[in-house]
Tab-separated table of all heavy atoms in Angstrom:
chain	number	residue	atom	x	y	z
A	286	GLU	N	-7.227	17.794	-5.385
A	286	GLU	CA	-5.902	18.424	-5.437
A	286	GLU	C	-5.911	19.861	-4.929
A	286	GLU	O	-5.036	20.280	-4.186
A	286	GLU	CB	-5.349	18.381	-6.867
A	286	GLU	CG	-4.137	17.501	-6.972
A	286	GLU	CD	-3.466	17.562	-8.333
A	286	GLU	OE1	-3.296	18.660	-8.889
A	286	GLU	OE2	-3.088	16.486	-8.829
A	287	GLY	N	-6.925	20.618	-5.344
A	287	GLY	CA	-6.994	22.028	-4.971
A	287	GLY	C	-7.201	22.217	-3.473
A	287	GLY	O	-6.567	23.062	-2.841
A	288	GLU	N	-8.085	21.390	-2.910
A	288	GLU	CA	-8.363	21.469	-1.475
A	288	GLU	C	-7.103	21.168	-0.676
A	288	GLU	O	-6.793	21.814	0.318
A	288	GLU	CB	-9.366	20.377	-1.095
A	288	GLU	CG	-10.813	20.716	-1.210
A	288	GLU	CD	-11.645	19.501	-0.797
A	288	GLU	OE1	-11.605	18.472	-1.509
A	288	GLU	OE2	-12.311	19.583	0.243
A	289	ARG	N	-6.411	20.149	-1.141
A	289	ARG	CA	-5.215	19.722	-0.435
A	289	ARG	C	-4.153	20.822	-0.471
A	289	ARG	O	-3.487	21.103	0.517
A	289	ARG	CB	-4.685	18.453	-1.108
A	289	ARG	CG	-3.574	17.798	-0.376
A	289	ARG	CD	-3.540	16.351	-0.769
A	289	ARG	NE	-2.289	15.717	-0.443
A	289	ARG	CZ	-1.970	14.507	-0.870
A	289	ARG	NH1	-2.793	13.827	-1.637
A	289	ARG	NH2	-0.828	13.968	-0.526
A	290	LEU	N	-4.034	21.446	-1.636
A	290	LEU	CA	-3.059	22.512	-1.796
A	290	LEU	C	-3.396	23.686	-0.869
A	290	LEU	O	-2.518	24.245	-0.206
A	290	LEU	CB	-3.043	22.959	-3.262
A	290	LEU	CG	-2.121	24.127	-3.609
A	290	LEU	CD1	-0.680	23.796	-3.252
A	290	LEU	CD2	-2.233	24.469	-5.091
A	291	ARG	N	-4.678	24.051	-0.799
A	291	ARG	CA	-5.056	25.193	0.053
A	291	ARG	C	-4.804	24.877	1.521
A	291	ARG	O	-4.316	25.728	2.274
A	291	ARG	CB	-6.518	25.572	-0.179
A	291	ARG	CG	-6.703	26.499	-1.383
A	291	ARG	CD	-8.096	27.113	-1.402
A	291	ARG	NE	-9.139	26.104	-1.492
A	291	ARG	CZ	-9.489	25.491	-2.622
A	291	ARG	NH1	-8.908	25.814	-3.753
A	291	ARG	NH2	-10.428	24.569	-2.627
A	292	ALA	N	-5.126	23.639	1.923
A	292	ALA	CA	-4.905	23.265	3.323
A	292	ALA	C	-3.410	23.324	3.657
A	292	ALA	O	-2.989	23.832	4.698
A	292	ALA	CB	-5.456	21.863	3.586
A	293	TRP	N	-2.600	22.819	2.740
A	293	TRP	CA	-1.145	22.785	2.935
A	293	TRP	C	-0.597	24.206	3.039
A	293	TRP	O	0.207	24.529	3.915
A	293	TRP	CB	-0.532	22.040	1.752
A	293	TRP	CG	0.938	21.789	1.803
A	293	TRP	CD1	1.571	20.713	2.349
A	293	TRP	CD2	1.975	22.616	1.234
A	293	TRP	NE1	2.931	20.809	2.165
A	293	TRP	CE2	3.208	21.969	1.490
A	293	TRP	CE3	1.972	23.830	0.543
A	293	TRP	CZ2	4.423	22.490	1.076
A	293	TRP	CZ3	3.189	24.357	0.133
A	293	TRP	CH2	4.399	23.686	0.397
A	294	GLU	N	-1.077	25.068	2.146
A	294	GLU	CA	-0.594	26.442	2.120
A	294	GLU	C	-1.036	27.206	3.375
A	294	GLU	O	-0.273	28.007	3.930
A	294	GLU	CB	-1.087	27.126	0.834
A	294	GLU	CG	-0.704	28.588	0.669
A	294	GLU	CD	0.801	28.848	0.588
A	294	GLU	OE1	1.593	27.887	0.648
A	294	GLU	OE2	1.186	30.039	0.498
A	295	ALA	N	-2.255	26.923	3.836
A	295	ALA	CA	-2.735	27.581	5.056
A	295	ALA	C	-1.846	27.185	6.238
A	295	ALA	O	-1.550	27.998	7.116
A	295	ALA	CB	-4.186	27.213	5.326
A	296	ALA	N	-1.392	25.936	6.250
A	296	ALA	CA	-0.496	25.489	7.315
A	296	ALA	C	0.872	26.160	7.172
A	296	ALA	O	1.443	26.659	8.138
A	296	ALA	CB	-0.347	23.964	7.267
A	297	ARG	N	1.372	26.221	5.955
A	297	ARG	CA	2.700	26.777	5.725
A	297	ARG	C	2.748	28.257	6.091
A	297	ARG	O	3.742	28.757	6.608
A	297	ARG	CB	3.088	26.600	4.256
A	297	ARG	CG	4.532	26.956	3.935
A	297	ARG	CD	4.823	26.809	2.452
A	297	ARG	NE	4.281	27.909	1.684
A	297	ARG	CZ	4.939	29.045	1.425
A	297	ARG	NH1	6.170	29.208	1.858
A	297	ARG	NH2	4.367	29.996	0.723
A	298	GLN	N	1.644	28.942	5.838
A	298	GLN	CA	1.609	30.372	6.126
A	298	GLN	C	1.282	30.672	7.580
A	298	GLN	O	1.221	31.825	7.969
A	298	GLN	CB	0.551	31.041	5.258
A	298	GLN	CG	0.833	30.913	3.793
A	298	GLN	CD	0.979	32.263	3.143
A	298	GLN	OE1	0.740	33.282	3.766
A	298	GLN	NE2	1.401	32.264	1.901
A	299	GLY	N	0.990	29.631	8.352
A	299	GLY	CA	0.655	29.876	9.748
A	299	GLY	C	-0.781	30.345	9.937
A	299	GLY	O	-1.171	30.762	11.014
Side-chain angles (χ1 to χ4, degrees):
E286 246 187 44
E288 272 180 294
R289 188 156 163 190
L290 177 59
R291 276 193 299 281
W293 185 89
E294 178 62 1
R297 189 182 76 89
Q298 298 240 353

